[in-house]
DNA sequence: GTTGTGACACATT
DNA sequence: AAATGTGCCACAA
């Protein structure tokens, strides 16, 4: 409910060409322990058109095992299309593409 | 109302 | 270093 909305807001705030971890989203949502809840929230994904769940990855910078809304490859393709580079292990360059919410 | 599960993260072994 | 176990919160049965 309210918790989910908070998560969705954060996920929708993820800028183009960047990714965020579940823990990061949870923390930005105001609850660093909602990592699992964030995953579940995206699982239901009531508004996939406004909730780029493919921009949300686990702490490894890699799509979750159950993250397949058409194939894990699908997610990597979408992120690559946004300019995100993947390593041979299928991990994202966190230091470069992880969404760092810095104030400006 | 209680028990179990889950798209995670962290600590310990 | 990797693998395993535990903790966390919300939802389904």
């Amino acid at each position: 409910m309210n918790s989910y909305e908070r998560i969705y807001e954060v996920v929708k705030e993820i800028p183009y060409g960047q990714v965020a971890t579940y823990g990061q989203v949870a923390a930005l949502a105001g609850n660093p322990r909602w990592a699992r809840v964030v995953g579940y929230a995206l699982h239901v994904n009531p508004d996939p058109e406004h909730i780029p769940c493919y921009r949300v990855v686990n702490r490894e910078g890699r799509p979750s095992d159950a993250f397949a809304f058409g194939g894990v490859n699908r997610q990597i393709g979408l992120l690559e299309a946004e300019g995100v580079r993947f390593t041979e292990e299928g991990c994202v360059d966190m230091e470069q593409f992880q969404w760092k919410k810095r104030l400006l």
Side-chain angles (χ1 to χ4, degrees):
Chain A
M1 301 295 237
N2 201 2
S3 329
Y4 274 41
E5 217 175 89
R6 193 64 91 195
I7 294 165
Y8 298 140
E9 286 297 307
V10 176
V11 176
K12 289 193 288 190
E13 283 296 302
I14 301 175
Y16 176 95
Q18 293 203 318
V19 297
T21 69
Y22 291 94
Q24 194 80 50
V25 173
L28 291 172
N31 302 38
R33 296 147 201 179
W34 281 2
R36 298 183 87 155
V37 183
V38 171
Y40 203 81
L42 293 175
H43 179 65
V44 294
N45 212 350
D47 291 305
E49 299 181 55
H50 290 272
I51 301 171
C53 42
Y54 57 86
R55 281 188 194 154
V56 184
V57 294
N58 64 7
R59 184 190 161 302
E60 295 177 37
R62 175 185 187 165
S64 288
D65 296 337
F67 206 128
F69 49 88
V72 183
N73 265 341
R74 179 68 174 172
Q75 203 225 13
I76 296 174
L78 288 165
L79 288 174
E80 275 196 321
E82 303 208 342
V84 179
R85 304 290 190 155
F86 280 81
T87 66
E88 306 299 330
E89 298 180 339
C91 300
V92 179
D93 227 314
M94 301 302 282
E95 293 300 302
Q96 282 188 19
F97 296 105
Q98 181 177 122
W99 176 37
K100 294 165 185 174
K101 187 179 189 290
R102 58 174 131 190
L103 316 120
L104 47 83

